[in-house]
Each structure stands twice: as structure tokens, then as C-alpha cells.
């Protein structure tokens, strides 16, 4: 019986296994069988030759239309010129030496074959593009290995240079001929869901008789991926529910009640509902693990502060971990401002609010460390500095992680371990809306709360694309708009992807082909150009991550006081920065940023009742992926809709790999946006099965599959999260 973890060399031999491992990283039987076909061809279905691009490594199904031996131009000898057609366009194949002699015997006119090689595209004298392959690998219909020319669908595999698709087929066939696997899914579950056995599904996906086979196989293999992932997450949730924690129920007349009574605005219905969910979690003797997601400006900070005050009322402390010093300082200022005299602590009542960052002076740092260790500071806000060994808490009851995707697992774990009385409650926040299926999959072990309702008083934000290359006068109008806003007493942000000549980008630059593109615009250069040119006479300041922390803080304070008209910055202002008087944002080279980041950035304007304006400056031409991405951002303010656009343009493995362990994703078949019903079904089945049998003692095959998916290294990672 062939096993998934069996070495591929033992199963198919060294000669066959070696190129699979070197080209595709496939070293076991399981990895080979999970290397699914990317598409299926039919007999007579010829690959469109017109779609081939220069330097692509391709596999083409074609029919030989002409063969001619030609003399070499610059040296003695001849070469074989073979023309292949798909009925519309033509592809030239060139063979030399012994290869030409063999090809001449095998590639007769009318022969159908697979050809694999690197595409060359050149312009003919008449300007028409001509495509060619030099010495391609090929296999013809009269060869025993060419199953693709039967009446069944022909699997076409993701391949690599020097590894043709039919070489993968040969290895798969060798394994399938002796494949018999113990099915990890319980028979009752398979019958209930109408799923084929695993061995049958793998044989059908790799050697289908018809398209019905493919559909049935995909149904099973998609469910497997969803179920295994959900089982890992459900198992984590069940384990976490057993951990001890100190209950923090708060009290009726305390800081939280005083804070609520002094709020100058009404909480939204969403803030109240989410607050009640969090309050109930904090009152439990098991640690809260909750994700709070919400639109930019939806009021997550107020919700988090109310949770922190409940913990302080219960005699504990709360720590707020922020990814940057600018954001930590902003959080500290806003919390102190919202609390007013309740932030005094000591003889004045209330609680102390301490700030800890890496750049603080020694005296301030010692004082704040003492406040944290003694409990005088009920709320401690900080950056990675909070994670250092010297930082101690009297009774850490709640950890709030802002923009949780900016932190590694080890960093979050280091803060959690500072709790003295069991595990602290954990609230992670993100202003990047997450599609429901991603939330179920990436954060399936967390309870998820969502704030979608914006507080009253938030002004609408209008977004436009400024096509700088097509209509340069639009860019000039952009600078005029900034001057008009400043003339009305308002302020503006200008965001660039890069700091300066020698600096790397600070943004989530879109991963696209940039070989022939100019370098992204830099803050330093743009600020100088504007101050001396279109914005001459305005007060322009520069802010980026490489500045000394005290200088960054001084610049932000100056901007907040209205002493700076235009702040030219990197994405250091992406989250948490709150200047109500800022009404316009210009994002230079906007196509270099991701969808979610653009949505985050524009959330910095329209925060004080003034209508917001966001201008996306780009040289991207219409109908390109970059321009379509910008058009989507301009079209809607719905972050959840944009998160779907973002996910559609990225590989799901990028999402899951980073969230799970930073390794290669286990998803091959499942598509998060299209397979929501599969994910929901898998989640229900996993919850039912593991609630009944948490250790999977009655399902050893499934336990083995989970143990394979979650290695020792991943187990440590998952436990820490």
C-alpha cells in the first residue's frame, strides 16, 4: 500500500523523482498527488498559439502542418523547421543536429503532439508577431505515454523549465497504479455529504474518464482542504476554552461607568453590541480570544478602551500594543484625551496611562516602568518595547493588539506571558475588513466581532483617480485643490511609496512586473519639488519611518496643531493618525499600493465633519490590473467589498500561508471567495466531530492527517497564537 508520506524516490525511482524534487520541490507521494492538474485538454482542442508570450515556458497541443529542412545561414549543416497550427495561428519549431533527424521521422504533417519549451516572439518583416520554440520536448499520439490523445480529458500540470507536463503524468501514473489509501474521513460523513473515497477522488482528478469524474473529485478534495483546516482551528478553540484566566467582570460604579457618563457622543448600536460581547468574555474564567474588525473610523478604539476600563475596574491592567511609535503616541494621546481627569490616577482617582517606546528618555522610561510594575498605570500603551524582559506588570488582565497583522506570533506571545494569574484575555483589532470566508479560515479559532456602522459626524470621502500620464493637467489641478483646501483653513496629506534615493519602500507595493517602470516616487524628492513649485508658500513638512522618534512625534504634534499645511509622508500615517482638520489626501503612484492599504490611507481624511477628498495619482493605463484596482477603490467606500477585490487579485496561499505559519499554504483546490458553502459545511462537521471526540481516538486516520498538516513547528506556532 502506498502512503502519502512515502519517499517519491522509493515509489517511482531516483531518475523520475530527481527532476520533480529539483524543479517543483516534490519529494513525497502525497506532494505529487496534491500537485493537481491546472486544466484539462480534449482531443482536438488546440491551445491558442496567439496567447503565448515571450519567455513563457509552455506546453502546447498542436498539429504539424508543414516540415522543411533548411540550410544554416552562418555555418555548415541544416536545421529542421516544423510548423504547428491550432487552426488559426502558427508556431515554428526549430530542431538541429541529431534532434532534427529524430523529429523528421516522428513529426510528419498531420501529427498531433504535445510540445514543451520556452517561447521566442519576434516580429516578421511585415510586422506580424511570430512565435517559436527551439528544440522543444514533445510526445506524439502514437506513443504509449500519450494518454492525452484518448477520448478522456487530458490533465495539463503546472510544470517548470526542463520538466514537461507528461513527465509529471508518468510519475503520477506509476503511483496511481498501486495506490490504496486509508480514508481519513469517517464513512458516515462521506455518505452524508455524498463524497467519494479519497483513493477514487485522486484517481479521478489525475486520470478522469469524463468531466463528471473531475467534478466529483474536486468536491471531495475541496472539502478535505477545508475540513482539515477547520479541524485544526476547532481543536485550538476547544483547547483554549480549557485554559484558566482571571474573570474581569468590572463593577457597576467604576471607571467605565464614569467614562460612559462623560462621553460627548452616543455610542453606535454596533459599538454597544460589540461592547456587550467583549464584556461577557472578560467576565469568564477562560481567556477571551476575540478579533475586532471594523471600517476605518468605525470607533474600534473607544470599544477597546471600554474593555480596558472594565479590566481596570476589576483590579487588573491592560496593555495596548501598537506597531509603530507614531501610532503608539497617537493612541496614548487619544486615550488620555478621552479619559480627561480620569487619566490622573493616584489621589485624583481614575487610573494612570503610561507610554513605553524604545526612544523614550531614561527618566521617563524608569517612571513608566515603575507605574506598570506597581499597578499605578492601569493602562500601558507601547510598541515592541513592551515585550522586553524589563517590562513587568502587577496584574496583566487584557492584551489589546492593534493592527495585529503587523506583529509576529512570538511578539504577541511574549506580551501574553507577562500575565501572573493565568492567561490574559486577548483582543486583536484590525481596520482591514476581512471577507467572511477568510475570517472563518484564517481566524477560525477566534470569536469575530465586526463594526460596520460609522459614528455620526463622519463626513463622506470622495475618491478620484488622477491619470497623470494621459491627462497631465489633472495633476496640476490636484495641486490647485490642495491650495484651495488650505485656503479654507484645512490641511492635506501627500503619501509616497518611498523615502528617498537609497531607501526601500515602506508600503504594501503591488507585486507586479516593474522591469521597465521608473522607481516609485520618494517623499524627500516630492516634498522638495512641491515646496519649490506648485505648493510654494505653503507650510510643507516631511514624515517617514527613518526619522528619529522625537522628531516624528514633534512633526505629528505640529501637524495636529495646524502649524503645518501639507504633510508629505510614507505609509507611517496609514493607521491611527487622527487630525480632524485634514480634508484632502493625495496618494502618489497609487498603483504601487494594495487595495486594503489605499482604503486605510484615505481613512485619515473626513474625520472631523469636513468632507474628505482622496486623489489617487497614477500613470497606470486604463483596463490594466493596476488601473482596475484603483477604479475599484474610487468606486466604493465599502471596505468589505474592497477586501474581496483584494483577495481576488492575490493568491489565497498568500493569505493563509502568512496567517497560519508563514509556510507554503496547504490549499490547492479550495477558493475562499467561491467556496463559502464548502467552508461552512466543513466547519460544522469539524465542530461536531471534535466536540464529540476531541482527541480523535476513534478516528486515527484523521488524527494522522492533522498531525501531518500541523508539524511540531506549526503546533508551537498555532498554540502561541
Amino acid at each position: 500500500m502506498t502512503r502519502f508520506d512515502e519517499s517519491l524516490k522509493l515509489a517511482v525511482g531516483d531518475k523520475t523523482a530527481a527532476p520533480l524534487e529539483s524543479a517543483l520541490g516534490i519529494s513525497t507521494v502525497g506532494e505529487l498527488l496534491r500537485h493537481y492538474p491546472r486544466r484539462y485538454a480534449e482531443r482536438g482542442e488546440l491551445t491558442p498559439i496567439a496567447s503565448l508570450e515571450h519567455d513563457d515556458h509552455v506546453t502546447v497541443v498542436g498539429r504539424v502542418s508543414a516540415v522543411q529542412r533548411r540550410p544554416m545561414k552562418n555555418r555548415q549543416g541544416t536545421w529542421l523547421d516544423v510548423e504547428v497550427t491550432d487552426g488559426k495561428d502558427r508556431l515554428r519549431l526549430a530542431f538541429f543536429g541529431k534532434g532534427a533527424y529524430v523529429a523528421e521521422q516522428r513529426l510528419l504533417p498531420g501529427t498531433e503532439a504535445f510540445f514543451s519549451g520556452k517561447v521566442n516572439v519576434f516580429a516578421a518583416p511585415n510586422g506580424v508577431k511570430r512565435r517559436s520554440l527551439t528544440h522543444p520536448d514533445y510526445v506524439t499520439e502514437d506513443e504509449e505515454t500519450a494518454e492525452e490523445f484518448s477520448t478522456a480529458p487530458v490533465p495539463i500540470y503546472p510544470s517548470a523549465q526542463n520538466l514537461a507536463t507528461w513527465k509529471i503524468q508518468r510519475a503520477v501514473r506509476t503511483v496511481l497504479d498501486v495506490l490504496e489509501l486509508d480514508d481519513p474521513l469517517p464513512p458516515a460523513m462521506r455518505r452524508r455529504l455524498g463524497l467519494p473515497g479519497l483513493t477514487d477522488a485522486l484517481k479521478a482528478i489525475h486520470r478522469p474518464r469524463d468531466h463528471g469524474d473531475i467534478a466529483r473529485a474536486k468536491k471531495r478534495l475541496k472539502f478535505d482542504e477545508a475540513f482539515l483546516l477547520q479541524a485544526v482551528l476547532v481543536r485550538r478553540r476547544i483547547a483554549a476554552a480549557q485554559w484558566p484566566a482571571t474573570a474581569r467582570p468590572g463593577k457597576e460604579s467604576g471607571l467605565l461607568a464614569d467614562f460612559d457618563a462623560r462621553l460627548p457622543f452616543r455610542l453606535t448600536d454596533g459599538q454597544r453590541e460589540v461592547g456587550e460581547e467583549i464584556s461577557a468574555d472578560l467576565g469568564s474564567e477562560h481567556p477571551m480570544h476575540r478579533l475586532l474588525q471594523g471600517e476605518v473610523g468605525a470607533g474600534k478604539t473607544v470599544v477597546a478602551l471600554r474593555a480596558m476600563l472594565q479590566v481596570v475596574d476589576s483590579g487588573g491592567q491592560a496593555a495596548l500594543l501598537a506597531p509603530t511609535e507614531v501610532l503608539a503616541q497617537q493612541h496614548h494621546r487619544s486615550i488620555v484625551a478621552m479619559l480627561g481627569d480620569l487619566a490622573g490616577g493616584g489621589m485624583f482617582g481614575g487610573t494612570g496611562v503610561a507610554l513605553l517606546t524604545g526612544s523614550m528618555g531614561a527618566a521617563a522610561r524608569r517612571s513608566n516602568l515603575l507605574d506598570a510594575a506597581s499597578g499605578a498605570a492601569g493602562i500601558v500603551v507601547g510598541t515592541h518595547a513592551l515585550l522586553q524582559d524589563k517590562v513587568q506588570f502587577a496584574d496583566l488582565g487584557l492584551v489589546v493588539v492593534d493592527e495585529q497583522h503587523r506583529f509576529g506570533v512570538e511578539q504577541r506571545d511574549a506580551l501574553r506571558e507577562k500575565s501572573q494569574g493565568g492567561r490574559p484575555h486577548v483582543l486583536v483589532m484590525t481596520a482591514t475588513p476581512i471577507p467572511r470566508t477568510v475570517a472563518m479560515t484564517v481566524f477560525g479559532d477566534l470569536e469575530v466581532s465586526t463594526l460596520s456602522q460609522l459614528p455620526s459626524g463622519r463626513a463622506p470621502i470622495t475618491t478620484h483617480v488622477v491619470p497623470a500620464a494621459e491627462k497631465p493637467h489633472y495633476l496640476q489641478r490636484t495641486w490647485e485643490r490642495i491650495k484651495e483646501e488650505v485656503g479654507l483653513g484645512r490641511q492635506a496629506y501627500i503619501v509616497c511609496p518611498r523615502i528617498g534615493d537609497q531607501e526601500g519602500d515602506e508600503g504594501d507595493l503591488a507585486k507586479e512586473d516593474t522591469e521597465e517602470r521608473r522607481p516609485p516616487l520618494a517623499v524627500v524628492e516630492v516634498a522638495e519639488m512641491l515646496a519649490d513649485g506648485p505648493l510654494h508658500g505653503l507650510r510643507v513638512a516631511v514624515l517617514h519611518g527613518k526619522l528619529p522618534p522625537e522628531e516624528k512625534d514633534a512633526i505629528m504634534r505640529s501637524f495636529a496643531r495646524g502649524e503645518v499645511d501639507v504633510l508629505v509622508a510614507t505609509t507611517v500615517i496609514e493607521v491611527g493618525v487622527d487630525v480632524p482638520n485634514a480634508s484632502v489626501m493625495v496618494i502618489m503612484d497609487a498603483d504601487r499600493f494594495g487595495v486594503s492599504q489605499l482604503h486605510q490611507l484615505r481613512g485619515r481624511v473626513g474625520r472631523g465633519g469636513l468632507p474628505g477628498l482622496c486623489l489617487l495619482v497614477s500613470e497606470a493605463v486604463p483596463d490594466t490590473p493596476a488601473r482596475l484596482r484603483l477604479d475599484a477603490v474610487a468606486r466604493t467606500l465599502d471596505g468589505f467589498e474592497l477586501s474581496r477585490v483584494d483577495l481576488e487579485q492575490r493568491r489565497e496561499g498568500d493569505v493563509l500561508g502568512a496567517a497560519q505559519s508563514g509556510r507554503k499554504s496547504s490549499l490547492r483546490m479550495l477558493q475562499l471567495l467561491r467556496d463559502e458553502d464548502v467552508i461552512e459545511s466543513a466547519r460544522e462537521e469539524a465542530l461536531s466531530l471534535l466536540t464529540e471526540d476531541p482527541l480523535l481516538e476513534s478516528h486515527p486516520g484523521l488524527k494522522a492527517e492533522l498531525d501531518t498538516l500541523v508539524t511540531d513547528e506549526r503546533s508551537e506556532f498555532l498554540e502561541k497564537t
Side-chain angles (χ1 to χ4, degrees):
M1 180 183 295
T2 303
R3 303 186 319 275
F4 261 29
D5 60 355
E6 183 177 327
S7 166
L8 194 59
K9 291 181 180 179
L10 293 177
V12 300
D14 287 353
K15 185 177 180 181
T16 301
L20 287 165
E21 183 165 11
S22 61
L24 299 174
I26 293 174
S27 60
T28 67
V29 167
E31 289 171 348
L32 175 65
L33 294 180
R34 298 295 192 196
H35 188 75
Y36 302 129
R38 62 181 172 85
R39 70 179 184 89
Y40 297 86
E42 308 282 353
R43 180 181 174 88
E45 175 198 324
L46 304 181
T47 303
I49 290 172
S51 67
L52 304 181
E53 298 290 340
H54 185 69
D55 279 349
D56 280 355
H57 192 85
V58 300
T59 299
V60 178
V61 184
R63 180 182 293 108
V64 177
S65 56
V67 180
Q68 186 174 4
R69 183 173 287 277
R70 298 178 182 274
M72 305 281 282
K73 287 186 178 180
N74 300 320
R75 54 178 175 164
Q76 290 185 341
T78 60
W79 58 282
L80 189 70
D81 181 14
V82 178
E83 183 182 81
V84 174
T85 181
D86 61 2
K88 182 179 180 182
D89 295 284
R90 300 179 187 280
L91 175 69
R92 311 302 287 267
L93 314 177
F95 297 91
F96 304 92
K98 183 179 178 181
Y101 174 78
V102 174
E104 192 171 15
Q105 308 305 309
R106 295 171 59 191
L107 299 178
L108 303 174
T111 301
E112 287 187 350
F114 266 2
F115 303 94
S116 180
K118 187 176 181 180
V119 179
N120 292 305
V121 179
F122 58 93
N126 61 2
V128 175
K129 282 186 178 181
R130 290 191 177 177
R131 295 166 175 81
S132 69
L133 303 178
T134 301
H135 269 297
D137 282 337
Y138 59 94
V139 61
T140 62
E141 63 180 326
D142 60 347
E143 294 176 295
E144 182 271 334
T145 56
E147 286 186 0
E148 61 271 16
F149 291 100
S150 69
T151 57
V154 182
I156 309 293
Y157 289 89
S159 55
Q161 194 165 359
N162 302 323
L163 184 65
T165 185
W166 55 84
K167 293 180 181 178
I168 302 173
Q169 279 181 264
R170 290 170 184 163
V172 170
R173 182 183 302 109
T174 300
V175 171
L176 288 178
D177 286 343
V178 295
L179 184 67
E180 286 296 334
L181 296 169
D182 288 331
D183 200 315
L185 291 188
M189 185 187 298
R190 296 202 308 269
R191 287 193 297 271
R192 183 166 58 252
L193 299 175
L195 299 174
L198 180 57
T199 299
D200 290 342
L202 289 169
K203 288 181 177 180
I205 202 71
H206 290 291
R207 300 171 76 171
R209 294 164 300 181
D210 52 37
H211 285 279
D213 269 359
I214 298 170
R216 286 185 289 273
K218 284 185 175 181
K219 181 180 179 181
R220 167 63 197 262
L221 298 173
K222 282 184 179 184
F223 182 83
D224 277 10
E225 291 180 359
F227 180 80
L228 288 173
L229 201 51
Q230 291 300 325
V232 171
L233 297 170
V234 168
R235 195 159 64 171
R236 285 170 58 187
R237 289 183 73 167
I238 292 173
Q242 308 307 313
W243 293 335
T246 301
R248 312 284 181 173
K251 54 187 179 183
E252 289 187 11
S253 57
L255 274 173
L256 178 54
D258 288 345
F259 175 73
D260 285 347
R262 300 180 188 197
L263 274 177
F265 53 83
R266 283 176 53 84
L267 295 174
T268 66
D269 292 341
Q271 286 174 316
R272 283 194 294 272
E273 290 170 8
V274 170
E276 290 170 2
E277 292 172 348
I278 294 173
S279 179
D281 286 352
L282 293 175
S284 169
E285 293 182 351
H286 299 288
M288 172 178 71
H289 292 89
R290 186 170 289 275
L291 169 70
L292 173 58
Q293 65 168 337
E295 284 285 10
V296 178
K300 295 181 297 297
T301 304
V302 173
V303 172
L305 177 54
R306 295 183 73 249
M308 290 189 274
L309 292 176
Q310 177 173 329
V311 170
V312 174
D313 278 340
S314 303
Q317 293 169 284
L320 172 56
L321 183 61
T324 67
E325 290 207 2
V326 168
L327 185 52
Q329 290 159 348
Q330 177 76 35
H331 274 312
H332 181 259
R333 282 196 294 270
S334 63
I335 288 173
V336 169
M338 283 190 285
L339 288 177
D341 57 8
L342 295 178
M347 63 181 293
F348 300 103
T351 186
V353 182
L355 175 67
L356 282 171
T357 65
S359 66
M360 295 184 72
R365 181 174 177 78
R366 278 195 301 270
S367 175
N368 289 349
L369 282 172
L370 180 60
D371 286 347
S374 67
I379 298 174
V380 182
V381 181
T383 57
H384 301 75
L386 286 179
L387 309 176
Q388 296 175 0
D389 292 339
K390 293 181 180 179
V391 181
Q392 299 297 325
F393 293 86
D395 183 10
L396 182 59
L398 172 64
V399 174
V400 180
V401 183
D402 194 18
E403 293 305 312
Q404 56 81 33
H405 63 282
R406 302 282 192 95
F407 292 96
V409 175
E410 291 77 10
Q411 294 167 320
R412 298 198 295 271
D413 185 59
L415 184 55
R416 192 175 67 184
E417 292 302 318
K418 294 181 181 292
S419 175
Q420 305 299 317
R423 292 174 179 262
H425 300 280
V426 177
L427 177 66
V428 297
M429 301 195 298
T430 177
T432 303
I434 302 166
R436 184 166 178 269
T437 46
V438 178
M440 281 194 298
T441 309
V442 180
F443 301 109
D445 58 325
L446 300 178
E447 298 294 338
V448 180
S449 294
T450 301
L451 285 176
S452 56
Q453 180 184 1
L454 294 180
S456 59
R458 286 302 304 267
I461 303 172
T462 304
T463 306
H464 298 288
V465 177
V466 178
E470 305 158 54
K471 301 177 180 179
H473 60 286
Y474 278 27
L475 183 58
Q476 182 59 40
R477 177 62 185 143
T478 296
W479 310 133
E480 292 172 0
R481 283 292 289 119
I482 288 180
K483 294 179 76 172
E484 290 169 4
E485 290 294 306
V486 172
L488 294 171
R490 301 167 187 172
Q491 294 164 278
Y493 296 102
I494 298 175
V495 180
C496 302
R498 200 162 52 102
I499 298 173
D501 286 338
Q502 303 304 317
E503 303 293 346
D505 69 89
E506 288 199 353
D508 178 23
L509 295 188
K511 304 299 188 292
E512 295 179 358
D513 182 12
T514 58
E515 284 186 8
E516 299 183 4
R517 300 174 71 185
R518 58 164 173 74
L521 292 172
V523 165
V524 177
E525 299 162 1
V526 169
E528 183 177 344
M529 180 271 294
L530 293 175
D532 294 339
L535 302 185
H536 180 69
L538 301 187
R539 297 169 297 178
V540 178
V542 168
L543 181 69
H544 57 73
K546 299 292 184 179
L547 291 174
E550 62 275 8
E551 188 174 346
K552 284 188 288 188
D553 190 40
I555 291 169
M556 276 310 307
R557 286 178 179 271
S558 180
F559 187 63
R561 289 193 299 264
E563 298 166 359
V564 170
D565 298 319
V566 180
L567 187 63
V568 185
T570 58
T571 55
V572 70
I573 55 100
E574 178 183 352
V575 292
V577 175
D578 189 1
V579 179
N581 194 47
S583 61
V584 59
M585 172 174 285
V586 176
I587 303 178
M588 306 301 295
D589 281 343
D591 54 288
R592 312 265 185 153
F593 298 92
V595 170
S596 294
Q597 195 167 36
L598 292 172
H599 184 58
Q600 286 277 345
L601 285 166
R602 71 173 165 190
R604 298 308 103 204
V605 297
R607 302 180 72 85
L610 299 172
L613 174 65
C614 180
L615 300 174
L616 307 175
V617 179
S618 173
E619 295 179 356
V621 298
D623 298 324
T624 59
R627 183 64 171 272
L628 292 173
R629 188 167 61 243
L630 298 184
D631 290 341
V633 175
R635 186 170 57 247
T636 182
L637 292 172
D638 186 338
F640 289 92
E641 179 182 337
L642 290 175
S643 69
R644 295 181 70 88
V645 172
D646 195 23
L647 184 58
E648 285 169 354
Q649 293 200 350
R650 292 168 16 181
R651 293 187 306 109
E652 271 125 346
D654 292 337
V655 179
L656 295 176
Q660 293 301 321
S661 70
R663 289 186 171 196
K664 193 175 180 181
S665 168
S666 59
L667 296 192
R668 298 290 182 271
M669 195 73 68
L670 194 69
Q671 294 180 294
L672 297 185
L673 293 181
R674 299 179 185 177
D675 296 321
E676 185 172 351
D677 57 336
V678 178
I679 295 170
E680 287 188 344
S681 173
R683 187 176 179 82
E684 291 173 6
E685 294 289 346
L687 186 59
S688 173
L689 184 67
L690 284 160
T691 300
E692 180 182 320
D693 184 9
L695 300 180
L696 295 176
E697 294 174 340
S698 302
H699 303 89
L702 180 55
K703 184 178 185 301
E705 276 287 293
L706 288 181
D707 291 342
T708 301
L709 178 65
V710 185
T711 62
D712 290 342
E713 180 182 334
R714 281 192 176 188
S715 294
E716 181 181 357
F717 178 97
L718 294 171
E719 197 281 327
K720 285 182 177 181
T721 56

